[in-house]
Amino acid sequence: MIRIVSKNKVNDAGITIKKRMQSMLKNEAVVISSIYWVFGALWILLSDRILELVTPNIDVYMHFQTYKGWLYILITTLMLFFLIRDRILLLRNENSKTLNTYDKLSLAHSELTKAKSELVFQKELTGSIISDAPVFIFTHNEEHMISVNPFAQRMSGYTIEDFNKKNWIELLVPKEYQDELRKILKDIREKKQVQDFEIPMITKDGSLINILWNSTMMSSKWEEEKPYFVSFGVDINERKRYEDRIEYLAYYDMLTGLPNRVMFENEINEQINQNIQGNYFMIAYFDIDNFKNINDSMGHQVGDLFLNYFGERLRAEIQEPNIVARLGGDEFAILFVRMLKDDVILKLEALMQRISQTWTIENRQFYISMSVGVVSYPFDGTDSTTLLKNADIAMYSAKREGKNRIQFYQKEINDNNTLHIKMINNLQYGIDGEQFVLYYQPQFCLKTGKVLGVEALVRWIHPEEGFIPPAEFIPLAEESGQIYKLERWIIKHALQQKKEWELAGYEDLEISINLSGKTLTSSINFNDIEQIIQQSSVNYERVIIEITETANIDDVEIVIEHLQRLRDMGIRIALDDFGTGYSSLNYLKMFPINIIKLDRSFIRAINENSVDMLLIKNILMLAHDLEFYVVAEGIETQDQLEFLRNGSCNSGQGYLFSKPLPIETLDSLLKNNFHKE
């Protein structure tokens, strides 16, 4: 403990030193006076006696008296000089020591004064921290509360008086945490400190505050008193809310609020791990049919509104213990617990009937339907991964079967899916390894019988499986997106062949090349195709791009733009499979079409003398009135040829004239039968 010396005491010490100095000066004066008196007395007594003995002559004696007086003055002067000088030096040393002592005492007083101010500041600062810091500070033992800082009083609603004669653990701590806290207090006694433990606190109004604590045991300065604890607590309610939010995001879909894939898989695993004899449950895997149309036509924001609406409908239909979840995108799933197959079928059919209806937004209507794949445990899988994979396979099988239906998983579906995946892989190997070749089917003028042009048709010659029909791999290529790379290869090689024909003298030979609806609606892939065409120096007026009337064209405006860019280059546009889709007349009106190609299904009906013959006549008349060039596909009989000639059909192709030919065979046909203008 530092003892503080006051300024008054320092001043008193200075006065005391001054008095001592004065007393010392008085003492020195007495000493000098005494020495001078003794010397003078001895001089008077002894000097005269000595002179009387030495000089009996009175005249000489008197003369020496004069000298004796001067000698006395000289000796006393020197004596006084040395006495006063020594005393002055002594006084100076004493005075210097006294002043140094006084300076040190003053400096000590100044430092002690600063220390006192610092102690006062530290005390005030500590008090301010304890008073104002947003931290719970409790001083306590196992039973009684000793002190509570103001912040803790404000937050808890309790004052120190509220703890009188009460056990603070029973007052502040929820019952389910009291035993745990008592164990922690025991640990603090053994370890002297325990950090970062969470114990919630009940406030006076009954609310709960989650607090992170650090507690230390403090020893008392009096041995007879028991040690006590100082506990510091931080409010972590906000952190808890963030943790709950993170946990929510980990297990729930942010858009719909439904359980997500992670939670759904956990629920499946929990059902599996129950290990109950005869445990049985089913999973229905949903995918919204044509959801892409909503996103593409109205934007993803509207698509999200629909997904939220769809999730709410499912939530309203499914009751516990069954669980509905959003797995991602437009895919949802339902876990049916302890329900038999027939009950699940009835539930799904009723659900689809209630949900499958028109959804209206911004005066636009969208028909809602869904494809559903269903699996059952343990027959279709014994773990969540296998079950969801097989449910997904069954769902895609429902889509391939025409959508808006329920498909239960079967091993055959998986086998077909395996073959499907194998075909996709083989298709990629075929594209990379250039296993494809181009065949060309001649197109003849129906009046002259001469060759006007050819249609480029791709053929796949697999090294092991041999010839694979286009009907098997073209739809697969469109589904997998491999059509883009395949089309680039087809157009590049077809235009190279066109250039060779032009150099060989067949400048007027027309070449027709098919372009998929996927490429037409994809700006990136269409730009690649356009660049390939621009890099080929051929006569564009003899190039025809065929688009399929049955293609699923979602974005009509971008298709029109792309076709017009081809038209601006001089390329003509043909509408293939005309009459087999739902939008033939609309396509003729919207798209920049030059040529229509009658589908082979119409041509085949000519021999049957059906109503289709009347339809063909009217199509030919309409085409001429609208100034379209007409090409007939699939001409196989002479009767079909005569009917088309009489109807003024311009040209045609089919096995009656020639099947698709490799380039070597086609060259000889061109030499003998090419129509030159």
Side-chain angles (χ1 to χ4, degrees):
M1 183 175 181
I2 299 175
R3 185 175 180 182
I4 306 300
V5 180
S6 68
K7 187 173 181 63
N8 291 334
K9 289 186 178 180
V10 175
N11 292 334
D12 292 343
I15 293 171
T16 302
I17 292 170
K18 185 176 180 180
K19 289 180 178 179
R20 289 177 61 189
M21 291 292 295
Q22 292 174 350
S23 176
M24 186 182 295
L25 288 172
K26 289 179 180 179
N27 293 336
E28 290 298 323
V30 171
V31 171
I32 293 172
S33 299
S34 299
I35 293 172
Y36 182 75
W37 182 84
V38 171
F39 181 77
L42 291 174
W43 180 270
I44 293 172
L45 292 174
L46 295 177
S47 62
D48 288 341
R49 289 294 183 104
I50 294 171
L51 284 177
E52 288 178 357
L53 293 174
V54 175
T55 309
N57 190 330
I58 190 65
D59 292 329
V60 175
Y61 177 83
M62 293 301 292
H63 184 73
F64 272 106
Q65 282 286 1
T66 302
Y67 290 118
K68 185 188 74 166
W70 285 109
L71 180 62
Y72 177 79
I73 292 172
L74 176 63
I75 292 171
T76 56
T77 300
L78 291 173
M79 183 183 68
L80 290 173
F81 170 78
F82 286 110
L83 286 172
I84 294 171
R85 186 196 64 176
D86 291 342
R87 294 306 183 270
I88 289 173
L89 290 175
L90 178 62
L91 288 172
R92 284 180 179 175
N93 289 336
E94 290 296 328
N95 186 53
S96 177
K97 290 179 181 178
T98 302
L99 291 175
N100 287 337
T101 302
Y102 182 80
D103 289 341
K104 290 179 180 178
L105 189 60
S106 297
L107 180 62
H109 171 265
S110 177
E111 291 177 350
L112 290 172
T113 302
K114 290 181 180 178
K116 180 181 179 181
S117 299
E118 181 66 24
L119 285 173
V120 172
F121 172 76
Q122 292 292 341
K123 183 178 179 181
E124 291 176 350
L125 178 62
T126 303
S128 176
I129 291 173
I130 294 174
S131 176
D132 300 333
V135 178
F136 296 85
I137 304 176
F138 290 158
T139 306
H140 58 89
N141 54 35
E142 284 93 336
E143 297 180 354
H144 300 105
M145 188 68 67
I146 300 171
S147 68
V148 181
N149 74 320
F151 175 81
Q153 293 183 36
R154 290 194 303 272
M155 295 298 292
S156 68
Y158 291 107
T159 64
I160 189 64
E161 289 77 16
D162 293 321
F163 295 98
N164 288 341
K165 299 180 180 180
K166 293 180 182 178
N167 187 302
W168 66 269
I169 295 179
E170 296 177 356
L171 188 65
L172 293 178
V173 182
K175 288 184 179 180
E176 60 269 25
Y177 290 93
Q178 291 179 5
D179 290 341
E180 179 184 352
L181 179 58
R182 289 188 176 96
K183 291 179 181 178
I184 292 173
L185 293 175
K186 184 178 179 182
D187 288 342
I188 298 172
R189 282 194 172 280
E190 295 174 356
K191 302 174 183 177
K192 305 302 181 184
Q193 187 179 47
V194 173
Q195 296 181 335
D196 299 336
F197 61 93
E198 293 183 22
I199 295 291
M201 182 180 72
I202 304 173
T203 65
K204 198 168 186 177
D205 62 7
S207 59
L208 202 67
I209 303 177
N210 292 291
I211 302 177
L212 182 69
W213 295 99
N214 286 280
S215 293
T216 303
M217 189 176 76
M218 307 293 290
S219 298
S220 174
K221 61 182 178 180
W222 294 284
E223 294 183 359
E224 63 272 12
E225 290 188 4
K226 294 181 179 179
Y228 61 95
F229 305 98
V230 177
S231 296
F232 297 86
V234 179
D235 183 352
I236 57 171
N237 269 355
E238 192 66 24
R239 192 192 79 180
K240 283 289 187 181
R241 281 192 286 270
Y242 281 122
E243 289 175 353
D244 292 343
R245 178 63 175 167
I246 292 171
E247 183 177 3
Y248 177 84
L249 294 177
Y251 292 104
Y252 289 88
D253 176 54
M254 198 169 177
L255 177 63
T256 63
L258 294 173
N260 61 13
R261 178 180 287 271
V262 174
M263 186 172 180
F264 193 72
E265 289 182 358
N266 289 345
E267 292 292 338
I268 295 173
N269 291 328
E270 186 174 333
Q271 289 293 323
I272 294 172
N273 294 334
Q274 285 181 1
N275 199 21
I276 300 174
Q277 184 70 25
N279 189 20
Y280 178 83
F281 62 85
M282 303 188 77
I283 299 171
Y285 201 109
F286 289 74
D287 184 88
I288 302 167
D289 297 329
N290 302 321
F291 173 71
K292 184 175 181 294
N293 293 340
I294 299 177
N295 270 344
D296 292 347
S297 60
M298 300 293 290
H300 288 276
Q301 189 172 5
V302 174
D304 288 346
L305 289 175
F306 171 76
L307 291 174
N308 196 38
Y309 160 80
F310 189 80
E312 289 178 356
R313 293 299 306 271
L314 286 179
R315 195 198 325 259
E317 295 288 339
I318 302 303
Q319 306 298 325
E320 293 184 353
N322 304 322
I323 299 169
V324 60
R326 182 189 176 206
L327 304 185
D330 61 334
E331 295 181 348
F332 295 78
I334 300 174
L335 174 63
F336 291 105
V337 181
R338 296 187 296 276
M339 286 183 66
L340 299 177
K341 181 176 180 180
D342 292 342
D343 296 330
V344 170
I345 293 174
L346 291 175
K347 182 65 177 177
L348 288 175
E349 288 178 345
L351 186 148
M352 292 177 69
Q353 184 176 1
R354 282 192 288 268
I355 294 180
S356 296
Q357 54 184 276
T358 301
W359 183 66
T360 303
I361 186 169
E362 297 180 6
N363 297 322
R364 292 283 301 274
Q365 292 185 335
F366 297 92
Y367 176 70
I368 303 172
S369 67
M370 64 200 81
S371 299
V372 185
V374 184
V375 293
S376 60
Y377 172 85
F379 309 105
D380 300 325
T382 56
D383 59 84
S384 60
T385 302
T386 303
L387 287 167
L388 288 176
K389 180 196 73 172
N390 291 340
D392 189 42
I393 291 171
M395 182 270 293
Y396 275 105
S397 176
K399 278 189 174 295
R400 285 194 294 270
E401 293 294 325
K403 302 180 180 179
N404 194 27
R405 63 185 62 211
I406 302 169
Q407 176 67 59
F408 281 81
Y409 176 78
Q410 297 174 352
K411 186 177 181 301
E412 293 76 12
I413 297 176
N414 192 28
D415 294 340
N416 293 335
N417 188 62
T418 302
L419 292 174
H420 189 75
I421 295 172
K422 181 181 178 182
M423 179 68 82
I424 291 176
N425 293 335
N426 288 341
L427 184 58
Q428 188 61 47
Y429 294 143
I431 295 172
D432 295 338
E434 295 195 356
Q435 298 173 3
F436 295 90
V437 296
L438 289 180
Y439 276 47
Y440 301 91
Q441 186 167 28
Q443 295 176 338
F444 292 81
C445 174
L446 297 189
K447 289 184 179 180
T448 65
K450 296 293 185 178
V451 177
L452 298 175
V454 294
E455 179 181 3
L457 300 170
V458 66
R459 296 292 183 263
W460 185 6
I461 312 299
H462 193 275
E464 297 176 359
E465 300 181 15
F467 176 78
I468 299 177
E472 291 187 15
F473 69 83
I474 292 295
L476 190 62
E478 291 186 347
E479 177 186 331
S480 63
Q482 295 166 308
I483 191 66
Y484 302 125
K485 189 172 183 179
L486 182 59
E487 279 186 329
R488 288 196 289 271
W489 183 89
I490 292 170
I491 292 176
K492 180 180 178 181
H493 285 78
L495 293 178
Q496 286 176 353
Q497 185 58 55
K498 175 75 168 68
K499 184 63 179 178
E500 292 180 11
W501 282 328
E502 288 179 0
L503 294 175
Y506 301 112
E507 296 89 348
D508 296 327
L509 182 66
E510 297 175 349
I511 186 167
S512 296
I513 307 172
N514 291 279
L515 199 61
S516 69
K518 280 184 171 289
T519 297
L520 282 172
T521 54
S522 170
S523 296
I524 295 176
N525 290 287
F526 179 81
N527 291 339
D528 292 341
I529 295 296
E530 187 178 32
Q531 187 175 6
I532 292 172
I533 295 174
Q534 290 172 344
Q535 290 173 351
S536 61
S537 55
V538 298
N539 181 9
Y540 294 139
E541 293 182 356
R542 297 300 180 184
V543 176
I544 300 169
I545 294 296
E546 295 187 10
I547 64 172
T548 304
E549 195 270 326
T550 55
N552 184 16
I553 297 176
D554 297 322
D555 195 335
V556 173
E557 291 183 1
I558 196 170
V559 172
I560 293 173
E561 177 194 340
H562 290 163
L563 292 179
Q564 190 59 52
R565 279 158 60 175
L566 295 175
R567 281 287 299 268
D568 293 342
M569 295 169 63
I571 295 172
R572 288 180 291 164
I573 309 299
L575 183 61
D576 196 11
D577 298 337
F578 182 77
T580 59
Y582 300 101
S583 306
S584 300
L585 296 179
N586 283 333
Y587 281 15
L588 292 179
K589 181 174 65 174
M590 292 185 297
F591 295 157
I593 303 296
N594 306 99
I595 303 167
I596 59 175
K597 296 186 72 173
L598 290 175
D599 187 69
R600 65 181 71 249
S601 61
F602 286 107
I603 308 305
R604 194 161 43 243
I606 291 175
N607 295 337
E608 300 172 0
N609 195 23
S610 64
V611 71
D612 288 334
M613 294 176 62
L614 180 60
L615 183 59
I616 294 172
K617 288 181 180 180
N618 285 290
I619 290 174
L620 292 172
M621 290 174 59
L622 176 64
H624 285 299
D625 290 341
L626 297 176
E627 298 183 349
F628 287 114
Y629 187 87
V630 182
V631 179
E633 295 182 296
I635 303 175
E636 298 178 354
T637 66
Q638 192 66 34
D639 291 338
Q640 294 170 351
L641 176 60
E642 293 299 327
F643 179 85
L644 293 168
R645 279 176 178 170
N646 294 332
S648 301
C649 182
N650 301 99
S651 63
Q653 62 191 74
Y655 279 22
L656 179 64
F657 301 111
S658 172
K659 63 182 181 180
L661 302 173
I663 187 63
E664 300 82 7
T665 308
L666 181 63
D667 284 342
S668 61
L669 177 65
L670 293 178
K671 290 178 182 178
N672 300 322
N673 206 14
F674 177 62
H675 173 76
K676 290 188 177 182
E677 294 183 356

